[in-house]
Amino acid sequence: MAAPVSLLVEFGGGAELLFDGIKKHQVTLPCQPEPWDIRSLLKWIKQNLLKERPELFIQGDTVRPGILVLINDADWELMGELDYKLQDKDNIIFISTLHGG
Amino acid sequence: MCQAREEYGGCEGPCGAPRVSCAQKCMKCKEASPVLVIRVGDAFCKACFKEYFVHKFRAMLGKNRAIYPGEKVLLALSGGPASSSMLQQVQEGLSRETAKKLRFIPGIIYVDEGAVCGQSLAEREETRRQMETILQASGFPYHVACLEEVFDLPSSILHCIPPDPAGPRSSYKEAVEGFIRQQREEETGGASVPEREVQEKLAGLCTRDMPGAEGLAASGARPLATARTDEMIRLFESVKTLTAKEELLQTLRIHLVLHTARVQGYSKVMMGDSCTRLAVKLLTNLSLGRGASLAMDTGFADDRHGNVVVVRPMREHSAKEIAFYNRLFEIPTVFTPALDTKAREKASIHRLIERFLCGLQAEFPSTVSTVYRTSEKLSATPGGAGPVPERCVLCLCALDTNVEEGSALQAILVSEQLSQKRLPAASPTGRGCCLGTEDQRGCCRNATAPGADARADLLPLLCYGCRLTVKDMTSLENLPPYVHSELERRKCRAAMKLEIQEFLLEDEAGNPGDS
């Protein structure tokens, strides 16, 4: 049983448009049997934060190609990508590099 | 996906395992922990990444030797990530100690495109305010233009050589022609040296060829004329597809930037196209039938406008590097919606190609750089034999519609006319119909629709890519006046040329669009 995790989730480069234009979201993930990782965070974002057009943010179980993910200001490729286990007070940033956001 | 990665990576290790991890050290200093993976397996720490990023920008300028000391350079700033970090690179370069200092004189232009990108007046004001903050903070002279101002542009914007009221234009033109000829002669030696010489001479020429204050001047905060905005919206509404809208917007934007550069005496324009953007542009333009002008559209320097050369110093920086740089070093950017914001993935060719490339890049991390490297190998030297190729009215690239019998373009034109069931009528030139671009124009003149005339006049003066854009427009009336007046001018010249045709010595086949 994982304890609740509180995170600062940020969106940039136009990705914020899919989240009511709000760039910074202070969120607390509820308790769940498995520890939280990016994969489950994405599912949670899709259900709780994403306001419209999920296909422009999520593709399959990962982010749409062209959207960068930073975990505490570091490339998620260094952190294990989808399998990164979220820690309390983590800062997760999604930046769209796509034209028009 | 698994298999693909294995095949690609070869001995990278077991499938699915991260190629690099945080435990690894920066591949450059071997000390600090890395923050970003640049290429497969190459992880950089923050300090080394900054050095790498800055060096790449300076190396791009140094390698190409396009910008001369004391030259006025206009930075095209959209507020987006690439152009914002370009501005920061220039600021950084100018703040260096004397030996390493960049020695050109920068200015900035910001074009407000809110009218066509669906922003309300209040939103546009807000975006403008944010941009002004960045512009003022830069400390460089800046110009804020509205896309609506294209309606006030002079038709000289569509000339490769800028007109000068005093009239040294013909001599300037001769000089340019001379250089192009010289360039051809020296072609055997190698392309880069003569090209550089041409640019050098052009840079020298344009200082004495500066047009005075004409038309719209440095009107920083002119109130937006709603009538103009409506006109602009009507223009874009008359375009049926998003693909054509994107192309039209690009054309109008470059005209406006070019005009500001000429009026304000800038001889270079810096665009912030990133490597990723250029790779998308390369494939997009191929798909749009713009293959003939690929080298200019995607190369480092684009000198099709004559005295103002467009350069792309960010062309080796990937979108990922730029996004990381902006984030790590807190470079301010302003997000403004584009034409395709929130559009479907297949809404335009541009978007489709971007998705295709990004999708491939996710699995094969060298995709973008491979496509980009292709653009590097293209040469801007025109292949035709004529001294100066006829240029497209809109994009100013050399016309690619000068085709021999039996070409694919000709086949398209013939079948197009057959399918429209236009009977061959006597054309004004008295020659047969439906044989080529020129005759198509004769043909269409007989059409009764009022807009058809302008269209029939315009199409032969356009390159293949621009023809497709214009064909997607329901009406040409809304095009800015400078396009129409240039069209008239070309028509007059063509008529005149036809009259004196038999006295001309040049090869007839060289210039069909002109006759």
Side-chain angles (χ1 to χ4, degrees):
Chain A
M1 194 70 181
V5 185
S6 82
L7 302 170
L8 176 60
V9 180
E10 292 181 54
F11 301 97
E16 68 269 23
L17 292 184
L18 305 172
F19 299 87
D20 269 349
I22 300 164
K23 288 189 172 179
K24 292 191 181 189
H25 298 253
Q26 189 69 54
V27 301
T28 306
L29 302 177
C31 294
Q32 67 164 27
E34 289 95 42
W36 283 97
D37 55 13
I38 297 285
R39 190 177 281 116
S40 50
L41 172 70
L42 285 174
K43 270 187 208 137
W44 184 88
I45 286 177
K46 189 176 176 182
Q47 282 156 12
N48 296 281
L49 290 182
L50 202 55
K51 298 290 187 239
E52 53 183 320
R53 297 190 182 245
E55 74 279 8
L56 294 186
F57 187 72
I58 286 180
Q59 212 165 75
D61 65 348
T62 186
V63 287
R64 181 179 168 206
I67 295 180
L68 301 174
V69 186
L70 283 75
I71 301 167
N72 300 324
D73 274 349
D75 195 341
W76 76 328
E77 287 181 40
L78 293 163
M79 318 288 269
E81 304 193 9
L82 291 170
D83 298 318
Y84 171 77
K85 300 281 177 285
L86 293 167
Q87 316 283 317
D88 202 35
K89 307 267 186 302
D90 269 350
N91 182 11
I92 312 291
I93 306 144
F94 298 92
I95 303 175
S96 170
T97 62
L98 298 162
H99 192 250
Chain B
M1 176 178 164
C2 260
Q3 203 188 352
R5 190 175 277 180
E6 261 176 1
E7 275 170 10
Y8 177 80
C11 55
E12 289 283 334
C15 165
R19 285 175 283 247
V20 278
S21 77
C22 226
Q24 201 185 317
K25 295 291 176 203
C26 164
M27 57 101 49
K28 208 169 175 198
C29 64
K30 317 263 192 272
E31 282 172 13
S33 54
V35 293
L36 151 81
V37 180
I38 290 174
R39 291 171 298 257
V40 189
D42 288 355
F44 276 52
C45 70
K46 192 171 166 179
C48 291
F49 169 57
K50 183 173 188 183
E51 202 179 301
Y52 160 87
F53 193 92
V54 173
H55 173 77
K56 206 149 71 163
F57 181 81
R58 300 178 59 90
M60 181 52 80
L61 289 180
K63 183 170 77 181
N64 288 285
R65 298 181 176 189
I67 296 170
Y68 289 82
E71 196 169 0
K72 282 181 85 181
V73 177
L74 188 61
L75 311 179
L77 185 72
S78 68
S83 60
S84 302
S85 75
M86 176 176 76
L87 169 63
Q88 201 276 335
Q89 291 301 298
V90 171
Q91 282 177 305
E92 202 269 351
L94 287 166
S95 69
R96 292 270 188 111
E97 71 274 30
T98 345
K100 290 181 174 175
K101 199 177 169 183
L102 293 178
R103 281 186 288 266
F104 55 84
I105 304 162
I108 311 175
I109 180 166
Y110 164 66
V111 179
D112 170 10
E113 297 163 5
V116 293
C117 296
Q119 279 187 300
S120 70
L121 268 182
E123 284 167 340
R124 292 179 70 179
E125 283 300 320
E126 172 59 19
T127 306
R128 230 170 212 261
R129 202 189 47 73
Q130 291 176 3
M131 285 306 298
E132 293 258 359
T133 318
I134 294 181
L135 292 166
Q136 277 162 9
S138 74
F140 300 151
Y142 65 88
H143 314 275
V144 177
C146 276
L147 193 64
E148 285 92 326
E149 288 173 38
V150 293
F151 289 110
D152 303 322
L153 290 183
S155 63
S156 62
I157 210 71
L158 298 173
H159 302 171
C160 169
I161 300 118
D164 187 27
R169 189 175 135 213
S170 58
S171 66
Y172 178 63
K173 191 175 180 189
E174 277 164 26
V176 172
E177 282 172 13
F179 285 128
I180 292 174
R181 242 176 269 129
Q182 194 187 334
Q183 190 182 12
R184 290 242 174 70
E185 282 163 17
E186 288 171 22
E187 217 167 72
T188 43
S192 61
V193 179
E195 197 172 60
R196 198 203 138 186
E197 274 170 22
V198 170
Q199 282 181 359
E200 201 169 319
K201 296 280 177 21
L202 279 173
L205 282 165
C206 58
T207 46
R208 92 156 186 239
D209 213 40
M210 251 14 124
E214 55 168 305
L216 63 149
S219 56
R222 181 196 292 190
L224 297 171
T226 11
R228 284 275 192 252
T229 306
D230 291 344
E231 218 174 318
M232 185 52 82
I233 292 171
R234 268 204 304 281
L235 169 61
F236 274 79
E237 274 173 355
S238 74
V239 184
K240 287 180 285 186
T241 61
L242 186 59
T243 303
K245 280 184 192 180
E246 294 274 8
E247 288 297 300
L248 180 66
L249 177 59
Q250 271 178 37
T251 307
L252 297 180
R253 182 196 297 134
I254 189 70
H255 287 165
L256 192 53
V257 171
L258 185 65
H259 179 75
T260 310
R262 281 183 177 162
V263 169
Q264 304 291 334
Y266 292 93
S267 48
K268 292 278 181 333
V269 172
M270 271 191 188
M271 302 279 233
D273 294 286
S274 67
C275 161
T276 315
R277 182 82 19 237
L278 285 173
V280 172
K281 198 170 178 182
L282 182 96
L283 292 188
T284 306
N285 284 9
L286 272 178
S287 322
L288 291 172
R290 307 194 62 92
S293 54
L294 267 188
M296 278 189 171
D297 287 337
T298 60
F300 173 77
D302 176 355
D303 57 358
R304 76 180 83 174
H305 303 289
N307 65 345
V308 178
V309 178
V310 176
V311 294
R312 303 184 177 93
M314 299 297 286
R315 65 198 306 265
E316 284 205 344
H317 296 79
S318 73
K320 178 178 177 179
E321 288 166 25
I322 291 170
F324 266 84
Y325 189 87
N326 290 351
R327 169 77 200 181
L328 295 177
F329 302 101
E330 290 167 4
I331 313 302
T333 59
V334 176
F335 176 79
T336 37
L339 278 174
D340 58 357
T341 295
K342 289 199 207 170
R344 287 171 300 112
E345 285 195 321
K346 293 177 188 168
S348 69
I349 291 179
H350 304 76
R351 211 159 161 87
L352 188 64
I353 300 276
E354 184 181 45
R355 180 191 155 207
F356 169 69
L357 270 182
C358 286
L360 268 183
Q361 171 80 11
E363 289 182 37
F364 305 92
S366 307
T367 305
V368 165
S369 62
T370 307
V371 175
Y372 158 74
R373 301 257 167 254
T374 314
S375 80
E376 265 194 329
K377 294 183 179 71
L378 299 168
S379 150
T381 322
V388 176
E390 187 70 7
R391 287 168 189 272
C392 169
V393 170
L394 282 181
C395 73
L396 272 100
C397 66
L399 278 189
D400 55 353
T401 49
N402 169 19
V403 290
E404 65 272 26
E405 295 275 325
S407 70
L409 174 62
Q410 208 183 26
I412 291 174
L413 291 173
V414 169
S415 69
E416 191 179 271
Q417 277 167 357
L418 288 177
S419 64
Q420 285 168 353
K421 286 192 178 165
R422 277 206 196 101
L423 292 169
S427 71
T429 51
R431 275 184 267 161
C433 239
C434 306
L435 279 174
T437 50
E438 173 207 342
D439 299 305
Q440 180 206 11
R441 179 171 139 204
C443 236
C444 298
R445 238 178 220 162
N446 302 322
T448 43
D453 236 11
R455 190 178 298 259
D457 284 336
L458 183 59
L459 283 182
L461 300 177
L462 299 177
C463 66
Y464 183 68
C466 288
R467 280 186 194 187
L468 294 185
T469 304
V470 166
K471 277 179 186 164
D472 274 342
M473 298 176 69
T474 51
S475 128
L476 298 184
E477 285 165 37
N478 299 316
L479 275 176
Y482 67 93
V483 178
H484 292 294
S485 53
E486 175 65 9
L487 184 58
E488 272 312 304
R489 199 189 72 96
R490 292 268 194 120
K491 258 168 74 184
C492 291
R493 288 194 60 161
M496 193 195 293
K497 188 159 184 188
L498 202 63
E499 270 175 40
I500 59 168
Q501 188 73 53
E502 48 189 295
F503 306 107
L504 293 178
L505 292 174
E506 77 180 294
D507 181 19
E508 250 185 31
N511 268 330
D514 204 28
S515 54

